[in-house]
Structure formats: structure tokens, C-alpha cells
Amino acid sequence: MNIELKKWSFEDKESLIKICNEVDRTYLANRLPFPYTDEAADWWLNMVKEHDGVDSVFRIIVTDGIPVGSISVEPKTDVYYKDAEIGYMLLTEEWSKGVATEAVRQMCEIAFSSLDILRITGYVYEPNFASRRVLEKNGFKLEGLMEQAVTKNDKIYNLCIYGKLK
């Protein structure tokens, strides 16, 4: 299986809409609109065009030529500006194949080499063992646990804080 990260472009709009409408949202933030519309895709792709390579990195995850997910590293602000947050989502049919692990590996290399950051932080809901394992396999360390920090679909979750230093 060939796993690569490609820069987003407006030609990827239909893939973006498909991924965002089909992805399992159990452990994703609610800021991802549903249903994901043309307008949402236009807004996001314009934001990516403005920030990618300037202060953030956004990539489409492609396996064997097929778009299957999205991954990003976005810096924080104020006194946290040398820290950036990683986020990713993958279509369920690609789970448990090593795709997310390889995408995170590649993304950390890109982010550390192209952004002025010292660390990358990943936030994962405690029961999301697969995503926690993806970070751990990439050298992220569990740095803390925020109890009852997330409320999603009437469920309350602890939030795991993972960090990886440059």
C-alpha cells in the first residue's frame, strides 16, 4: 500500500466533501459541519490556501491514489506559539491498516522541518485507543489527562494530552 500526503487544491473539493460526510465523527470536534456542503468546502480550501506553508500544514491522505482522509498541524497562539496541534481523520474502511500511523509520521517530518515550532500536541478522547496508539507509535508521550473535559453526543470523556518534541 502506498500512503502519501498531498497538498490540498480546489480540484480536491469533491474528495473533501466525500471524506467529511462519510468519516466517523464519534471522536471528532463538532466544528466539522454536517452535512458538509460546497460552501463549507470552499471556505476551508480558501483558508488552507492562505495558511498552508505559511503558519500551518494541511494535507490530504492518499492511499494507492485514492483520497481517504485529512491531516493538519496548526500552531497555537500567544505564549504557546512554538506548539502546534495535530489533527487527522480517516475513512473507516482504511482503519487498522497503518494508514494513520504513516500519515502522522510523514506529517511530523513536514511540520518540524517547515514550521517554526518546538513541539506538536495531540488531543485524544480517552476511549479512542486506536488514535492514541497512532500517536504513541510516532513517539508522542502521554503528558496528561484532563478529566471530564469533553462532552460529545451527551457523553462525557476524559481528554488525553500527547506531546512530541522536535
Side-chain angles (χ1 to χ4, degrees), residues 22-163:
E22 293 180 9
V23 72
D24 183 327
R25 294 165 172 267
T26 304
Y27 298 122
L28 296 179
N30 288 337
R31 71 176 181 241
L32 182 67
F34 186 78
Y36 201 82
T37 62
D38 273 358
E39 294 77 23
D42 286 338
W43 177 87
W44 193 80
L45 288 167
N46 277 305
M47 182 277 300
V48 166
K49 184 178 177 185
E50 181 180 339
H51 291 278
D52 186 48
V54 177
D55 59 12
S56 303
V57 180
F58 299 91
R59 295 291 183 269
I60 185 169
I61 303 169
V62 178
T63 60
D64 297 329
I66 299 167
V68 296
S70 181
I71 188 166
S72 64
V73 172
E74 299 178 74
K76 298 179 183 180
T77 59
D78 197 30
V79 297
Y80 310 104
Y81 73 99
K82 293 284 190 178
D83 185 11
E85 182 178 345
I86 191 166
Y88 45 90
M89 60 182 175
L90 194 62
L91 293 174
T92 54
E93 57 265 24
E94 298 302 319
W95 289 3
S96 302
K97 296 180 182 178
V99 175
T101 299
E102 176 60 17
V104 168
R105 185 195 68 75
Q106 290 182 31
M107 181 55 97
C108 288
E109 283 184 11
I110 295 167
F112 280 135
S113 66
S114 63
L115 300 176
D116 184 21
I117 56 173
L118 298 174
R119 61 174 283 129
I120 298 174
T121 301
Y123 300 101
V124 184
Y125 305 174
E126 191 175 32
N128 189 352
F129 295 109
S131 191
R132 293 174 62 185
R133 190 74 188 114
V134 164
L135 294 178
E136 291 164 0
K137 285 180 182 178
N138 277 286
F140 282 77
K141 292 182 181 152
L142 179 61
E143 297 178 336
L145 183 77
M146 294 175 64
E147 293 183 1
Q148 299 183 11
V150 177
T151 305
K152 170 89 179 191
N153 297 332
D154 298 323
K155 293 182 181 173
I156 298 171
Y157 299 109
N158 294 336
L159 185 66
C160 298
I161 303 166
Y162 282 88

